[in-house]
């Protein structure tokens, strides 16, 4: 089969991807590039990865037929319950994979960057599991805004280092992590939290998250007698939960893919994270992709009520899915997402992460047929967002 939508051997999705990195980072990235597929193909790696996903993360995550939601929208809606994973979201699928990769490459020390703290917590969790040193870079502003996650990381034994430069948020934390990696090329692995960064990261993270659509295939076969749905819907920050949910359906164009971005206070309000609409081609974190930037190429500060969608770019896979039209991109505002999150809570007894609420909100915009099978990737649970829901709805 010709792979039109997955990565090519040079590390590109169409025109997007690659590894645009400073020379000093080249040995680290090259070591990973030369080894990641070999390591992942090793039966002992696969066995340990699968075992941990089962016994530690709690996989497979259920594919749940949401009856009352389906009734309301007059179509058949399944929810892929990534919210039931240990640590409450899909992110741990990737951090488990990467820590095993780091061990196979002989690394002793783990670094990561985090914005809202969710990826930092998922990384600190697997470092505790494996007894490895963990340093998480986080913007000083984010440390102040995300105190519970900072406490979690500390409790798990990680060292949280504030990034004091620039806007003191995610992109500055990323710069600090890259600086650390350049200074510690031999013993350190950098765990990136989404399908972003230089090749091979987008592909490696997508492969670790691909367990999501791998399970969907056999779960749907059991429930519907066919392994392919009509639609798969997922929200996109960097794009890792969407990459995992789309992965095994990428080349099957009978399965329609819907990627949901955060429009914040409105696409053209100046406070948004709708990268596909507002972004232009450029290079961010070592990858050629779509990103929000000023006319002279400076990265614009994104905004969304959900911290996990508040990223100025998308991974190269998603830039390609957008450019080719393989996925439909829909932007959802803060208000639309919050309403959808409350609705799922009341209709199904599931409080979703606000990121996930964006995916749910498309049900008000798209008309599905009664016999369509629609899978929505429920990327995370809403406990972390409770204060936001309380403030918004005056609960
Ligand atoms: C981090 C996060 C996201 C966004 O990240 P992706 O890499 O785009 O998946 C979405 N949902 C939840 C629950 C998250 O924690």
């Amino acid at each position: 089969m010709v792979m039109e939508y997955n990565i090519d051997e040079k590390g590109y999705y169409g025109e997007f991807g690659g590894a645009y990195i400073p020379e000093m980072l080249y040995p680290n990235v090259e070591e990973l590039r030369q080894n990641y597929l070999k390591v992942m193909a090793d039966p002992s790696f696969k066995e340990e990865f699968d075992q941990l996903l089962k016994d530690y993360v709690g996989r497979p995550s259920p594919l749940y037929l949401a009856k009352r939601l389906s009734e309301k929208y007059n179509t058949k809606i399944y929810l892929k319950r990534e919210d039931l994973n240990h640590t409450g979201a899909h992110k741990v699928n990737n951090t488990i994979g990467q820590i095993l990769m780091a061990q196979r490459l002989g690394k002793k020390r783990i670094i990561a960057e985090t914005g809202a703290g969710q990826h930092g917590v998922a990384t600190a969790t697997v470092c505790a599991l494996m007894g490895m040193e963990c340093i998480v870079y986080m913007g000083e502003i984010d440390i102040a805004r995300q105190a519970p996650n900072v406490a979690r990381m500390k409790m798990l034994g990680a060292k949280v280092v504030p990034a004091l430069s620039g806007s003191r948020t995610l992109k500055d934390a990323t710069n600090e992590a890259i600086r650390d990696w350049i200074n510690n090329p031999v013993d350190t692995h950098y765990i990136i939290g989404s399908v972003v960064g230089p090749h091979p990261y987008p592909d490696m993270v997508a492969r670790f998250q691909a367990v999501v659509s791998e399970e969907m295939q056999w779960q749907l076969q059991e429930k519907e007698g066919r392994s392919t749905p009509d639609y798969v819907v997922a929200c996109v920050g960097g794009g890792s939960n969407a990459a995992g949910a789309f992965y095994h359906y990428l080349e099957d164009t009978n399965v329609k893919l819907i990627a949901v971005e955060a429009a914040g206070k409105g696409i053209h309000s100046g406070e948004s994270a709708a990268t596909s609409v507002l972004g232009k081609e450029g290079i961010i974190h070592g990858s050629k992709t779509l990103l929000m930037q000023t006319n002279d190429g400076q990265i614009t500060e994104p905004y969304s009520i959900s911290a996990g969608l508040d990223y100025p770019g998308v991974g190269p896979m998603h830039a390609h899915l957008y450019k080719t039209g393989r996925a439909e991109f829909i932007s959802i505002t803060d208000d639309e997402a919050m309403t959808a999150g409350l609705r799922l809570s009341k209709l199904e007894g599931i409080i979703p992460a606000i990121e996930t609420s964006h995916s749910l909100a498309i049900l008000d915009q798209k008309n599905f047929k009664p016999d369509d099978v629609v899978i929505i990737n429920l990327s995370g649970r809403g406990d972390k967002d409770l204060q936001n829901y309380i403030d918004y709805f005056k609960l």
Side-chain angles (χ1 to χ4, degrees):
M1 184 166 62
V2 188
M3 301 289 264
E4 269 185 77
Y5 301 106
N6 213 325
I7 200 158
D8 65 23
E9 48 313 323
K10 295 203 177 91
Y12 282 83
Y13 298 86
E15 62 191 283
F16 301 107
Y20 298 81
I21 48 171
E23 198 181 323
M24 287 165 82
L25 212 56
Y26 183 78
N28 313 34
V29 173
E30 185 59 12
E31 181 189 25
L32 192 61
R33 189 187 69 79
Q34 285 186 5
N35 289 292
Y36 83 109
L37 290 176
K38 248 183 286 175
V39 170
M40 285 180 76
D42 176 5
S44 82
F45 180 91
K46 218 180 143 13
E47 192 181 324
E48 197 176 353
F49 183 54
D50 291 348
Q51 193 74 47
L52 283 170
L53 288 184
K54 181 165 180 271
D55 296 336
Y56 188 72
V57 175
R59 303 203 71 92
S61 70
L63 184 69
Y64 164 67
L65 174 61
K67 285 219 185 70
R68 299 189 67 210
L69 195 67
S70 298
E71 227 163 79
K72 175 162 171 60
Y73 290 99
N74 195 25
T75 189
K76 204 162 201 180
I77 303 168
Y78 283 93
L79 303 175
K80 181 61 174 158
R81 299 293 307 276
E82 293 300 296
D83 60 315
L84 294 178
N85 293 339
H86 178 48
T87 69
H90 66 288
K91 286 195 171 71
V92 71
N93 303 326
N94 168 46
T95 57
I96 294 257
Q98 284 203 50
I99 199 136
L100 294 178
M101 180 67 61
Q103 287 181 327
R104 296 301 196 281
L105 297 177
K107 308 295 176 182
K108 301 278 177 287
R109 189 172 166 269
I110 296 294
I111 58 171
E113 85 296 333
T114 197
Q118 294 303 109
H119 173 57
V121 170
T123 302
T125 299
V126 298
C127 287
L129 174 70
M130 296 299 177
M132 282 173 85
E133 185 184 355
C134 181
I135 294 116
V136 180
Y137 291 96
M138 189 168 184
E140 194 182 30
I141 301 268
D142 290 333
I143 288 180
R145 303 197 272 219
Q146 308 288 345
N149 275 341
V150 175
R152 284 186 187 103
M153 286 184 265
K154 288 184 177 163
M155 212 170 152
L156 293 161
K159 188 172 159 207
V160 182
V161 180
L164 305 170
S165 64
S167 56
R168 292 174 290 153
T169 57
L170 177 63
K171 71 178 164 53
D172 314 287
T174 305
N175 291 339
E176 293 298 330
I178 289 173
R179 201 163 298 148
D180 180 312
W181 208 23
I182 288 173
N183 290 328
N184 298 282
V186 179
D187 68 339
T188 299
H189 175 72
Y190 178 15
I191 298 191
I192 293 183
S194 190
V195 285
V196 300
H199 177 63
Y201 276 100
D203 185 44
M204 180 172 66
V205 176
R207 285 168 186 265
F208 289 140
Q209 293 291 357
V211 65
V212 175
S213 49
E214 192 185 304
E215 289 172 2
M216 282 177 185
Q217 289 180 303
W218 62 259
Q219 289 174 322
L220 202 62
Q221 182 70 43
E222 276 181 13
K223 290 175 198 296
E224 293 287 329
R226 57 168 161 137
S227 61
T228 56
D230 297 293
Y231 292 88
V232 182
V233 184
C235 60
V236 174
S240 68
N241 86 87
F246 295 169
Y247 197 86
H248 290 282
Y249 300 120
L250 281 173
E251 308 297 334
D252 180 353
T253 49
N254 293 320
V255 181
K256 292 168 213 101
L257 309 176
I258 300 181
V260 187
E261 293 184 311
K265 296 186 176 163
I267 293 177
H268 300 291
S269 65
E271 291 182 87
S272 167
T275 307
S276 68
V277 188
L278 301 172
K280 292 193 293 266
E281 282 168 32
I283 288 165
I284 181 170
H285 302 146
S287 173
K288 187 171 168 205
T289 189
L290 292 171
L291 66 131
M292 291 164 40
Q293 51 190 307
T294 60
N295 285 335
D296 42 3
Q298 292 299 310
I299 293 165
T300 344
E301 200 65 36
Y303 163 83
S304 163
I305 192 167
S306 81
L309 300 185
D310 178 349
Y311 182 72
V314 288
M317 176 199 279
H318 299 291
H320 183 55
L321 294 177
Y322 175 72
K323 197 76 186 257
T324 56
R326 172 68 185 94
E328 178 183 2
F329 280 67
I330 298 179
S331 321
I332 293 295
T333 64
D334 289 357
D335 292 336
E336 291 162 343
M338 295 305 271
T339 305
L342 186 62
R343 181 177 320 114
L344 186 76
S345 309
K346 294 215 192 292
L347 278 178
E348 295 287 348
I350 299 169
I351 301 177
I354 299 178
E355 290 85 355
T356 315
S357 296
H358 285 72
S359 316
L360 296 159
I362 69 139
L363 293 168
D364 290 316
Q365 304 200 356
K366 284 259 337 157
N367 271 323
F368 297 107
K369 295 202 281 292
D371 58 352
D372 277 340
V373 170
V374 180
I375 301 183
I376 300 178
N377 196 29
L378 212 79
S379 58
R381 65 176 182 230
D383 305 47
K384 69 180 177 64
D385 297 318
L386 207 58
Q387 194 57 51
N388 263 336
Y389 282 124
I390 291 170
D391 294 343
Y392 187 88
F393 291 111
K394 317 231 174 330
L395 300 171

